[in-house]
């Protein structure tokens, strides 16, 4: 989420936690690994692992002793280069990327991978906002949001779907608070009642904190069933057509869109009973939401993983686009579409080419500039990469940041897949589960944190990122690196490339890999020559607030096959669940629930800062399951009882997590919620979104059973 650079200093609680987490004085070095074997570390919680401190020197796994041991950087790079160069096929390596990697590191990483010969670039986007990129590209020709932060202050209404900004996007709360105080009507669709989306006291306003006052955020707050958002949005459209047909922007529809008639027929064929049954909302509630939408001149719709981690996520997001196309809410100030991505550069990674399905135009620009031939066939996303590792078709896993083991679904499957790698390379700041899934050979390569000084031969280096609003800006670390043996991500990638491909000029460019490492401005020069929108990159980042990448759809230019914005006329899904539930019929004595996994307030992605979730009233624990009190009563469960959770799938695999404390919560009947990664084991590897392959972590069919084990409190 972008920041308003004007006025007082802008900060958020999670940002402060991240800086403190990165700046710890604790070190994970050779002495630490001499004390703990990998087998011993595997028994520790994810929280405990990351709490041990910063990785401080490169390490190699010794299979004979089951310990990591120190080695030199040169030895590490030689091991990687030698292993890559004896692979029978370039597609036997998986180049995973986390959204924390800078534009410079990401560009270099994808260039190296493609010159090596593969498009295997699984990345964190595959597990979160992949559906957003696909849906928006199909509908409006660009996979990014069409608004900037200033648009929030000119909107008459903002619709928030499947998002907990108080927990996951704290900076956005200030934008919503300011909009609400200006009279903007905020309409929230969220499966759980979230305190921050009802009332919010801004940390930027000392008066609100001191006197305990708060701003009312949501004008209307609806709690649809899990997976019911598409039906709710379809109901809004049906309400408009039946009751307020004049609200349609017929000129916009005729001039800018295609597929209107087929879509309207699809809406007319959708019954209110279907809509109410699937959404869990009444016709009256949906009409109330549609009235706010059409009474607003300018509307923004924003969404996050509550919409993107379902079987039918692409169609759900297309339905939001349909609503905006009908009313012409695109291409003007205060109106548009906003997928809210979390990681600092998850959007920039894609722009830089971290994409297993690169466009022909992107590859062509690289080939023309460097005068080289690059692979054209699609590579592996996360799902395909894990499958290939599990089947031992892929031999090497290199992770540029992140914690794939904790982020991916079906933990038992994922753990085995990662362990099958003949070489597991983790470029990281903190110890995590992914470092411990080793069998033959593994390397831990410690990198600088974002807050640390990055000094190369040419001096202190800047790195850049692209935020949710397509703003690109530069930053420079300020603190002394935690260890002299920590290298920058750019340095590590450049040296891996050099040891693998040779330290020579890259194609017909004037630079070698290590010359790019020595001066990041040279990387930005390459980016300016090969990535659309980055002309004069080095000059543009001197602007205090950075620069904005032009959004074609915001200019009403549609880079679709039809050269028009395209309506989608998909029917509502027959089932919101990704798996065939025929096996559920055997559970005659159990109620089948739909479970979503989510983050706690004291968590950012897979990083757990603490054991509290103050927004939901949880203290000192994470193994909890939120349930409607009436559902609990039906199962003879009391508040604080413990249960085992078993997911239902037709693949013959039993997936169960044990010892979860029951917590009564305001959530629709038939739905449950629990934290991840604790519930990742319940999501089958083949339970994913249509087209996106994103784990269906927000629609898991489960049954509950009273637990025979006590709650294990993580420490």
């Amino acid at each position: 989420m972008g920041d308003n650079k004007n006025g007082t200093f802008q900060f958020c609680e999670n940002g402060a936690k991240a800086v403190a987490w990165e700046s710890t004085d604790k070190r994970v070095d050779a002495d630490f690994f001499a004390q703990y074997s990998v087998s011993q570390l595997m028994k520790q919680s994810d929280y405990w692992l990351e709490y041990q401190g910063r990785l401080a020197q490169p390490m190699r796994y010794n299979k004979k002793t089951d310990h990591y041991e120190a080695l030199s950087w040169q030895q590490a790079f030689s091991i990687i280069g030698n292993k890559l160069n004896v692979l029978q096929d370039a597609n036997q390596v998986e180049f995973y990327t986390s959204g924390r990697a800078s534009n410079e590191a990401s560009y270099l990483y994808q260039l190296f991978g493609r010159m090596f010969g593969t498009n295997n670039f699984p990345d964190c986007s595959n597990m979160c906002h992949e559906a957003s990129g696909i849906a928006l590209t199909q509908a409006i020709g660009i996979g990014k949001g069409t608004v900037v932060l200033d648009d929030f202050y000119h909107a008459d209404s903002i619709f928030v779907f499947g998002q907990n900004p108080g927990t996951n996007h704290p900076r956005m709360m200030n934008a919503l608070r300011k909009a609400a105080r200006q009279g903007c009507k905020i309409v929230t669709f969220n499966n759980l009642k979230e305190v921050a989306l009802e009332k919010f006291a801004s940390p930027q306003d000392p008066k609100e904190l001191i006197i305990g006052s708060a701003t009312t955020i949501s004008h209307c707050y609806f709690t649809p069933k899990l997976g019911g958002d598409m039906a709710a949005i379809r109901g809004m459209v049906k309400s408009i057509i039946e009751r307020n047909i004049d609200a349609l922007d017929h000129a916009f529809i005729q001039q800018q869109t295609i597929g209107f008639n087929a879509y309207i027929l699809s809406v007319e064929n959708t019954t209110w009973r279907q809509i109410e049954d699937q959404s869990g909302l009444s016709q009256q509630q949906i009409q109330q939401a549609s009235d706010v939408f059409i009474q607003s001149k300018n509307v923004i719709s924003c969404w996050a993983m509550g919409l993107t981690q379902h079987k039918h996520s692409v169609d759900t997001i297309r339905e939001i686009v349909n609503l905006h196309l009908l009313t012409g809410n695109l291409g003007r100030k205060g109106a548009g579409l906003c997928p809210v991505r979390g990681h600092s550069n998850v959007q920039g990674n894609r722009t830089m080419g971290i994409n297993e399905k690169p466009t022909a135009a992107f590859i062509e620009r690289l080939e023309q500039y460097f005068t080289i031939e690059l692979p054209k066939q699609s590579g592996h996303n996360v799902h395909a990469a894990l499958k290939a590792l599990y089947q031992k078709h892929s031999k090497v896993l290199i992770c540029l940041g992140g914690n794939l083991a904790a982020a991916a679904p079906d933990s038992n499957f994922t753990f085995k897949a990662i362990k099958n790698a003949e070489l597991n390379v983790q470029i990281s700041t903190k110890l995590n589960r992914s470092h411990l899934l080793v069998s033959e050979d593994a390397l831990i390569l410690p990198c600088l944190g974002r807050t640390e000084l990055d000094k190369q031969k040419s001096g202190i280096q800047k790195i850049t990122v692209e935020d949710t609003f397509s703003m690109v800006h530069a930053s420079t670390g300020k603190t002394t690196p935690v260890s002299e043996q920590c290298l920058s991500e750019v340095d590590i990638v450049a040296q891996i490339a050099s040891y693998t491909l040779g330290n020579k000029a890259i194609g017909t460019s004037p630079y070698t890999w290590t010359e790019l490492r020595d001066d990041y401005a040279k990387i930005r020069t390459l980016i300016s020559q090969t990535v659309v929108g980055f002309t004069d990159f080095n000059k543009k980042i001197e602007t205090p607030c950075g620069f904005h990448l032009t959004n074609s759809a915001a200019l009403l230019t549609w880079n679709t096959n039809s050269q028009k914005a395209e309506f989608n006329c998909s029917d509502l899904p027959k089932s919101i669940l990704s798996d065939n539930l025929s096996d559920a019929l055997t559970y005659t004595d159990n109620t089948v629930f739909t479970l979503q996994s989510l983050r706690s307030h004291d968590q950012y992605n897979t990083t757990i800062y603490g054991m509290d979730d103050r927004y939901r009233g949880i203290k000192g624990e994470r193994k909890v399951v939120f349930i409607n009190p009436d559902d609990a009563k039906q199962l003879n469960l009391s508040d604080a009882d413990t249960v085992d959770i078993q997911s239902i799938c037709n693949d013959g695999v039993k997936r169960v997590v044990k010892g979860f404390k029951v917590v009564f919560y305001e959530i629709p009947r038939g739905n449950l919620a629990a934290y991840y990664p604790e519930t990742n084991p319940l999501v089958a590897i083949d339970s994913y979104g249509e087209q996106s392959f994103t784990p269906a972590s927000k629609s898991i069919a489960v049954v509950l059973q009273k637990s025979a084990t006590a709650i294990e409190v993580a420490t």
Side-chain angles (χ1 to χ4, degrees):
M1 189 74 185
D3 283 322
N4 183 349
K5 304 298 181 183
N6 300 320
T8 58
F9 175 64
Q10 301 289 311
F11 67 94
C12 76
E13 182 180 346
N14 275 11
K17 289 176 184 176
V19 171
W21 196 247
E22 186 175 277
S23 303
T24 177
D25 292 330
K26 300 173 74 174
R27 303 288 181 269
V28 176
D29 53 18
D31 290 339
F32 173 89
F33 284 111
Q35 181 180 357
Y36 297 100
S37 69
V38 168
S39 297
Q40 289 173 319
L41 292 171
M42 271 298 291
K43 297 176 182 178
Q44 301 294 339
S45 69
D46 294 280
Y47 173 74
W48 187 93
L49 291 173
E50 291 209 25
Y51 194 73
Q52 300 314 299
R54 286 287 301 280
L55 296 164
Q57 61 187 119
M59 310 295 298
R60 184 183 189 183
Y61 178 64
N62 185 330
K63 183 179 179 180
K64 293 181 180 179
T65 65
D66 194 34
H67 283 260
Y68 272 101
E69 300 169 354
L71 81 167
S72 71
W73 277 106
Q74 289 70 28
Q75 288 173 316
F77 294 135
S78 292
I79 290 167
I80 298 170
N82 290 338
K83 182 63 176 179
L84 292 180
N85 282 324
V86 298
L87 293 176
Q88 295 179 346
D89 186 338
N91 291 310
Q92 291 179 326
V93 59
E94 306 291 347
F95 290 102
Y96 178 78
T97 316
S98 162
R100 74 173 296 276
S102 66
N103 286 327
E104 291 75 12
S106 297
Y107 181 84
L108 215 59
Y109 195 54
Q110 64 84 28
L111 182 60
F112 161 55
R114 291 193 162 101
M115 290 190 66
F116 182 71
T118 185
N119 280 318
N120 286 352
F121 291 105
D123 78 306
C124 60
S125 290
N126 299 148
M127 295 179 286
C128 56
H129 266 284
E130 191 71 34
S132 297
I134 292 172
L136 292 175
T137 299
Q138 291 175 352
I140 61 174
I142 184 170
K144 303 179 182 183
T146 65
V147 299
V148 296
L149 184 60
D150 187 60
D151 284 310
F152 279 73
Y153 310 133
H154 294 85
D156 299 301
S157 66
I158 299 171
F159 280 66
V160 181
F161 295 96
Q163 183 186 1
N164 303 329
T167 296
N168 301 328
H169 308 106
R171 287 190 182 98
M172 184 177 179
M173 288 308 308
N174 286 316
L176 294 177
R177 170 184 172 273
K178 181 176 178 180
R181 290 167 74 92
Q182 292 179 173
C184 176
K185 292 182 178 180
I186 297 171
V187 178
T188 299
F189 289 79
N190 193 311
N191 183 250
L192 290 88
K193 278 293 183 74
E194 298 288 348
V195 173
L197 278 171
E198 295 183 286
K199 288 190 175 183
F200 177 68
S202 173
Q204 315 296 338
D205 189 336
K207 182 180 178 181
E208 281 196 344
L209 295 179
I210 292 171
I211 67 175
S213 65
T215 299
T216 298
I217 300 298
S218 293
H219 174 75
C220 302
Y221 200 123
F222 303 107
T223 52
K225 292 179 182 178
L226 286 170
D229 296 277
M230 181 180 177
I233 302 160
R234 175 65 58 91
M236 289 175 62
V237 174
K238 191 172 183 68
S239 175
I240 293 170
I241 293 172
E242 291 179 348
R243 300 166 61 241
N244 303 98
I245 192 68
D246 291 340
L248 300 189
D249 189 335
H250 293 284
F252 183 93
I253 292 168
Q254 183 176 3
Q255 296 168 13
Q256 306 291 341
T257 75
I258 190 172
F260 170 75
N261 291 330
Y263 173 62
I264 293 301
L265 181 61
S266 179
V267 174
E268 291 174 345
N269 289 336
T270 307
T271 68
W272 275 109
R273 181 173 180 178
Q274 288 176 289
I275 291 168
E276 289 184 315
D277 286 348
Q278 194 165 104
S279 70
L281 302 177
S282 68
Q283 182 175 347
Q284 182 180 6
Q285 288 175 307
I286 294 171
Q287 288 173 344
Q288 182 185 2
S290 72
D291 287 345
V292 174
F293 198 100
I294 63 172
Q295 290 166 8
S296 304
K297 179 181 178 182
N298 299 312
V299 184
I300 293 174
S301 288
C302 52
W303 65 90
M305 289 162 64
L307 257 62
T308 64
Q309 291 188 320
H310 291 280
K311 172 185 177 182
H312 56 285
S313 292
V314 171
D315 281 341
T316 298
I317 296 164
R318 295 281 314 254
E319 196 71 11
I320 293 177
V321 180
N322 288 341
L323 180 57
H324 278 252
L325 295 181
L326 286 174
T327 54
N329 270 289
L330 278 169
R332 60 172 182 262
K333 186 172 286 295
L337 303 162
C338 182
V340 182
R341 294 174 166 94
H343 239 316
S344 57
N345 200 38
V346 67
Q347 185 158 300
N349 288 173
R350 239 345 122 77
T351 304
M352 290 298 109
I354 300 298
N355 191 341
E356 78 280 1
K357 295 180 180 179
T359 64
F362 182 85
I363 295 298
E364 184 178 347
R365 288 175 69 90
L366 292 178
E367 289 184 326
Q368 288 181 349
Y369 181 79
F370 292 104
T371 318
I372 53 177
E373 185 174 351
L374 299 176
K376 309 295 193 302
Q377 73 276 15
S378 295
H380 293 160
N381 57 19
V382 166
H383 178 265
L386 290 173
K387 286 274 191 169
L389 287 164
Y390 189 88
Q391 296 162 356
K392 298 186 178 182
H393 295 161
S394 287
K395 310 294 184 183
V396 178
L397 172 65
I398 302 178
C399 294
L400 181 60
N403 183 0
L404 178 60
D410 207 341
S411 300
N412 290 338
F413 182 96
T414 291
F415 287 8
K416 184 175 180 180
I418 296 175
K419 286 190 70 171
N420 280 347
E422 294 176 4
L423 176 62
N424 178 352
V425 180
Q426 300 287 329
I427 303 168
S428 311
T429 58
K430 290 286 198 74
L431 181 66
N432 65 50
R433 188 74 54 196
S434 297
H435 302 111
L436 310 178
L437 301 174
V438 296
S439 54
E440 294 297 325
D441 204 356
L443 297 171
I444 296 175
L445 307 183
C447 64
L448 297 176
R450 187 71 61 80
T451 62
E452 293 172 320
L453 282 168
D454 182 356
K455 188 174 183 179
Q456 305 296 341
K457 282 188 178 181
S458 62
I460 302 298
Q461 302 299 310
K462 296 178 180 178
I463 56 93
T464 63
V465 297
E466 177 189 347
D467 66 21
T468 287
F469 300 110
S470 300
M471 290 294 299
V472 179
H473 54 87
S475 64
T476 304
K478 304 295 183 185
T479 63
T480 302
V482 68
S483 167
E484 292 182 355
Q485 294 198 61
C486 288
L487 301 181
S488 73
E489 290 178 319
V490 167
D491 192 347
I492 294 170
V493 172
Q495 293 209 61
I496 291 175
S498 176
Y499 275 75
T500 304
L501 301 178
N503 191 32
K504 54 190 176 183
I506 304 170
T508 52
S509 80
Y511 308 124
T512 65
W513 296 104
T514 53
E515 285 175 335
L516 296 176
R517 178 271 315 271
D518 294 340
D519 185 356
Y520 299 179
K522 293 177 179 177
I523 302 176
R524 290 189 287 272
T525 296
L526 296 182
I527 294 172
S528 70
Q529 295 294 319
T530 56
V531 181
V532 174
F534 286 83
T535 303
D536 296 327
F537 193 5
N538 283 305
K539 181 179 180 180
K540 286 180 178 177
I541 62 172
E542 297 302 322
T543 305
C545 295
F547 65 97
H548 182 251
L549 294 174
T550 300
N551 185 286
S552 52
L555 300 176
L556 303 186
T557 298
W558 318 107
N559 294 322
T560 60
N561 290 334
S562 65
Q563 299 297 296
K564 297 276 191 176
E566 299 187 0
F567 282 97
N568 179 52
C569 59
S570 295
D571 295 330
L572 294 185
K574 293 180 180 179
S575 170
I576 62 102
L577 296 168
S578 182
D579 303 304
N580 186 331
L581 276 184
S582 59
D583 290 352
L585 298 177
T586 64
Y587 290 88
T588 54
D589 297 328
N590 299 76
T591 300
V592 177
F593 291 92
T594 305
L595 169 74
Q596 66 164 317
S597 67
L598 44 72
R599 288 179 278 196
S600 73
H601 179 64
D602 241 359
Q603 178 178 355
Y604 184 67
N605 292 335
T606 59
T607 299
I608 300 166
Y609 298 124
M611 308 308 294
D612 295 343
D613 187 347
R614 73 170 187 267
Y615 281 172
R616 302 185 182 104
I618 303 300
K619 289 188 176 296
E621 57 191 335
R622 289 182 55 83
K623 293 186 69 174
V624 300
V625 57
F626 299 101
I627 186 172
N628 184 293
D630 291 334
D631 282 335
K633 182 179 179 180
Q634 182 177 326
L635 297 179
N636 295 318
L637 293 173
S638 301
D639 201 11
D641 278 352
T642 58
V643 295
D644 298 341
I645 311 172
Q646 181 175 339
S647 61
I648 304 169
C649 186
N650 64 350
D651 60 1
V653 177
K654 183 176 181 179
R655 298 177 177 88
V656 60
V657 293
K658 297 183 176 182
F660 279 65
K661 187 174 88 171
V662 170
V663 174
F664 291 175
Y665 206 79
E666 190 172 352
I667 184 173
R669 293 203 64 180
N671 289 173
L672 305 171
Y675 301 132
Y676 79 82
E678 287 82 358
T679 51
N680 282 4
L682 299 175
V683 186
I685 188 66
D686 289 324
S687 178
Y688 51 72
E690 295 173 348
Q691 300 183 62
S692 69
F693 288 89
T694 299
S697 301
K698 297 294 188 287
S699 49
I700 314 164
V702 301
V703 293
L704 301 180
Q705 185 175 8
K706 279 195 175 181
S707 178
T709 60
I711 298 175
E712 299 174 7
V713 179
T715 58

